[in-house]
Amino acid sequence: AQKVTQAQTEISVVEKEDVTLDCVYETRDTTYYLFWYKQPPSGELVFLIRRNSFDEQNEISGRYSWNFQKSTSSFNFTITASQVVDSAVYFCALRSAGGTSYGKLTFGQGTILTVHP
Amino acid sequence: DSGVTQTPKHLITATGQRVTLRCSPRSGDLSVYWYQQSLDQGLQFLIQYYNGEERAKGNILERFSAQQFPDLHSELNLSSLELGDSALYFCASSVGDGFNQPQHFGDGTRLSIL
């Protein structure tokens, strides 16, 4: 069975602070993809990044960076110099190649990030 | 704008009723996925269609059914509605069937059962 755990239910920071959102996953498959999605207050789900299980290179996109560590089954997301517009719910998700899990994205419970001015 | 269109945006109905949610995928996308988001269950995968054929099934109730039409739009039918079916229903699409492909989500249909 697949599982994604986002231990932080809510995080509150002040603008310009750095913040890291944790994600830990479980899967028996050796081939899988990890994703992060953002859900702003307006409700839509916005795709942020995809990472495959064979690529542990960290990625940086502007103020966003992702740290994938297979040894600890973690795929953490850091926002540098946070802004009020970053306030949203952030979801980590897993999709693997194996068996009955093939089609589904398994989502974590989400982390509510609030950035105060 | 993800390019995935869901209608209606909001739906209010009563217990025991039946509703149909509609989804138009991004141009060129062959796969359509349905998810349910509720406060207690979070985001749950319901079902996937690829080019008109059912590809994968998740936690979809027997009272729910879906299909994908030749023009690739999809409909999710919910019947004998219960209070617990109140949720945000998302449709997502991807180009192909590959598990490596990001799914792009619509804005969702918010279903309220009174």
Side-chain angles (χ1 to χ4, degrees):
Chain A
Q2 297 185 127
K3 189 176 178 182
V4 176
T5 303
Q6 295 179 251
Q8 304 144 310
T9 306
E10 288 192 57
I11 300 176
S12 183
V13 299
V14 177
E15 214 171 13
K16 295 184 185 163
E17 279 187 41
D18 298 347
V19 57
T20 295
L21 311 180
D22 297 332
C23 171
V24 173
Y25 62 92
E26 295 175 30
T27 179
R28 281 189 284 236
D29 295 313
T30 56
T31 305
Y32 53 87
Y33 272 78
L34 295 161
F35 303 82
W36 275 93
Y37 284 84
K38 173 182 179 180
Q39 187 174 34
S42 47
E44 71 274 20
L45 276 165
V46 180
F47 164 69
L48 295 178
I49 191 171
R50 167 187 60 180
R51 175 52 46 86
N52 76 55
S53 52
F54 299 109
D55 181 5
E56 290 193 63
Q57 205 169 16
N58 290 334
E59 181 152 345
I60 299 174
S61 175
R63 296 184 297 107
Y64 295 171
S65 62
W66 290 269
N67 184 325
F68 174 38
Q69 290 195 333
K70 211 166 174 178
S71 60
T72 55
S73 297
S74 66
F75 186 41
N76 297 335
F77 174 28
T78 297
I79 302 175
T80 304
S82 59
Q83 300 176 359
V84 172
V85 293
D86 296 327
S87 297
V89 183
Y90 290 85
F91 291 95
C92 180
L94 165 71
R95 191 178 185 195
S96 68
T100 58
S101 299
Y102 184 86
K104 61 185 285 188
L105 267 174
T106 299
F107 284 89
Q109 287 299 102
T111 297
I112 302 170
L113 174 64
T114 304
V115 182
H116 299 280
Chain B
D1 182 7
S2 68
V4 178
T5 304
Q6 287 187 249
T7 57
K9 289 196 185 309
H10 301 277
L11 203 46
I12 302 174
T13 189
T15 55
Q17 295 299 304
R18 173 188 169 95
V19 297
T20 297
L21 312 184
R22 183 187 168 100
C23 169
S24 294
R26 294 187 318 164
S27 177
D29 285 0
L30 297 179
S31 271
V32 169
Y33 311 79
W34 286 98
Y35 290 84
Q36 179 194 59
Q37 185 179 31
S38 61
L39 280 175
D40 53 344
Q41 295 291 325
L43 269 160
Q44 297 281 319
F45 169 72
L46 296 178
I47 197 163
Q48 177 199 359
Y49 280 84
Y50 174 72
N51 205 19
E53 301 289 326
E54 182 183 303
R55 186 64 178 87
K57 217 165 184 176
N59 303 320
I60 188 166
L61 299 172
E62 283 191 16
R63 300 183 286 108
F64 297 180
S65 65
Q67 59 185 126
Q68 187 180 27
F69 294 88
D71 67 352
L72 301 176
H73 91 272
S74 177
E75 292 181 356
L76 179 67
N77 301 297
L78 316 176
S79 61
S80 302
L81 286 168
E82 301 174 1
L83 291 177
D85 298 328
S86 295
L88 186 54
Y89 291 85
F90 283 106
C91 169
S93 72
S94 64
V95 172
D97 188 30
F99 74 104
N100 60 329
Q101 296 181 4
Q103 296 173 22
H104 298 275
F105 285 75
D107 290 348
T109 293
R110 186 167 296 281
L111 176 63
S112 299
I113 312 299
L114 302 180

